[in-house]
Amino acid sequence: MMAKRVGMEVSVAIGEAAKMANVDVVAAYPITPQTHIVEHLAELVADGELDAEYIPVESEHSAMSACLGSSAAGARTFTATAGQGLELMHEVLYVASSMRLPIVMTVANRALSAPLSVWGDHSDAMAVRDTGWIQLFTENGQEVVDNVLCAFRIAEDQRVLLPVMVHLDGFHLSHMIEPILLPEVEAVKRFIPPLKYPFPLDPLKPVSMGDFGPPFIYSEAKWAQEVKLREAKDVVVECWQEFGKQFQRHYSPVEEYRSEGADVLLLTMGSYSETAAAAIDKVRAEGKNIGLVRLRLWRPFPFAELRQKVSQARVLIVLDRALSIGGPVGPVCSEIRSALYGQAKQPKVVSIVGGLGGRDISVAGFEAIISRGIKVAEKGSRNEFEIFGVRE
Amino acid sequence: MPKKGENELTWRDLEIGGIVTEPGNASQYQTGDWRSQKPTYDFDRCIKCGLCQLFCPEGCVEPNSDGHFEADLYYCKGCGICARECWTKVITMVEEEG
């Protein structure tokens, strides 16, 4: 059987991807805009199409806690959440990564209350950036499916053993019906070898996990985690290369669109990158030397790749879909500035925040962001960062 | 985990996620150095009732070779509950020196 192209809601396709990965346990709590993912998985389990334990927990805190247990028992574990749900999981996220449990989770990115918003932005993702999870951003349904499959292989690699979050924009991706190539199950099986967690919970071979870490050992434990997360970058890249070989779709930590030799670069993360690319086509057609850079690997942060791809530009405009309220600039821009600080050659980095709480940015919107960004780079601004589209 | 003193362990010595593969090694954990006061004993008054052992939250009180109950100072945190509960006032808490 060949891979087949189907028209499918992206959330449903994620459920299908988890099924192809043959997950053992799904512990999840429904929350907009992620609900359809776990709803579909619940159906697959109930209909006997997926041989897995589906644990309908009472909250996201419990969802991630149940995932800890099942992953520690050596079971392939999947969950999904969004926005407030991810916030409710917060403390348990740290435990998952510190205990080196290879859980895979999709996050249908959603704004945080208040005011209550079920719509998409990256506030939830930014709030969990320091939780020690590997984090990937995706732009369309195909990328989500592909990266969910990659996420299992990366997480469970013996050199990694860390949880992976796959971010997809709430509604803009989660609720879209898109043409998606679903790979052949056998090919997926070959791509994701069986999970061999080195110390599964076993009464015959007892171990203690998540132990008490007094001052004499806490720093060593955290440093071990830091080193492993940084080293995971090579495995992520290797996994994407292998995926490219087997499935002919290619991913890398920092991706470009018509950016080579560009004087001005726009940097985006997530599904808005596709609209941004359309804007780049327009300004390129007008003869302007402007390109796009998309950050796919958010954690571990790809310092070398980013520096290599942006340092020759004169201006770098970074679009953030989240605020760091009272802080320096947008959170992504803040990290990019930090990554470029002290480099011999670096662009002027301009921070623009937009697309909050599900507000669209059109092609014309991106054109306006580009011109505003260039103006700020050349003439300066009274503001630390610009916010796009706010009515004064 | 290699046999090293707790202040000699490096991050490379830890199992993944700090997993402890050797059961029961919490007994190596010296809680006695938390102590600011230690129990001292006037065993002439001791009736060997064992109440101090029952009350000790650390579970570190055992009869010594004479059958008198005495705290193991490797674990004793110096809470003083034994001194307070002892019927016959065997135990006096005194400041640790240094």
Side-chain angles (χ1 to χ4, degrees), chain A residues 98 199 207-208 216 220 223, chain B residues 6 11 14-15 17 19-21:
Chain A
S98 315
F199 299 101
V207 294
S208 303
F216 79 80
E220 282 69 22
W223 184 247
Chain B
E6 61 179 35
W11 65 270
L14 299 174
E15 287 292 1
I19 287 174
V20 175
T21 53

Side-chain angles (χ1 to χ4, degrees), chain A residues 18-249:
Chain A
K19 177 188 155 189
M20 282 188 283
N22 196 21
V23 293
D24 299 310
V25 175
V26 178
Y29 192 82
I31 184 168
T32 304
Q34 161 277 138
T35 302
H36 294 178
I37 303 171
V38 295
E39 208 171 72
H40 185 61
L41 278 162
E43 276 172 13
L44 290 173
V45 174
D47 294 346
E49 286 185 44
L50 171 62
D51 181 18
E53 287 295 324
Y54 188 94
I55 312 175
V57 287
E58 72 278 27
S59 76
E60 286 84 358
H61 191 281
S62 302
M64 188 45 62
S65 300
C67 286
L68 292 187
S70 76
S71 188
R76 183 167 287 164
T77 304
F78 179 82
T79 188
T81 192
Q84 307 301 131
L86 188 62
E87 288 300 292
L88 187 51
M89 276 183 186
H90 198 87
E91 62 162 337
V92 197
L93 296 175
Y94 286 87
V95 184
S97 59
S98 315
M99 283 170 54
R100 307 276 307 277
L101 298 171
I103 299 161
V104 172
M105 171 161 72
T106 48
V107 179
N109 297 121
R110 166 180 161 171
L112 297 175
S113 293
L116 196 154
S117 168
V118 296
W119 294 273
D121 71 25
H122 294 166
S123 308
D124 56 355
M126 292 304 128
V128 299
R129 66 176 191 178
D130 296 336
T131 53
W133 285 53
I134 293 170
Q135 303 191 42
L136 318 174
F137 272 81
T138 55
E139 293 176 20
N140 58 47
Q142 187 66 57
E143 290 194 5
V144 187
V145 168
D146 292 350
N147 280 285
V148 165
L149 300 177
C150 288
F152 284 105
R153 181 171 158 133
I154 295 163
E156 296 174 6
D157 189 296
Q158 298 295 308
R159 295 165 291 174
V160 177
L161 293 170
L162 284 166
V164 180
M165 250 180 240
V166 180
H167 293 286
L168 63 142
D169 285 318
F171 292 112
H172 285 100
L173 279 189
S174 62
H175 285 55
M176 288 299 118
I177 293 172
E178 294 191 5
I180 289 170
L181 266 172
L182 287 180
E184 191 195 338
V185 177
E186 282 307 311
V188 171
K189 214 182 244 177
R190 283 193 300 277
F191 184 68
I192 312 172
L195 168 59
K196 287 201 183 87
Y197 191 68
F199 299 101
L201 291 178
D202 177 356
L204 299 175
K205 245 177 98 184
V207 294
S208 303
M209 292 174 152
D211 296 275
F212 188 55
F216 79 80
I217 203 69
Y218 186 85
S219 304
E220 282 69 22
K222 296 320 280 184
W223 184 247
Q225 194 187 346
E226 170 74 27
V227 170
K228 282 297 160 188
L229 183 56
R230 281 179 190 274
E231 287 178 355
K233 192 182 79 182
D234 291 344
V235 181
V236 174
V237 171
E238 183 190 296
C239 174
W240 278 334
Q241 283 168 351
E242 191 54 37
F243 187 89
K245 269 188 218 153
Q246 292 190 31
F247 300 96
Q248 291 75 49
R249 287 185 295 279

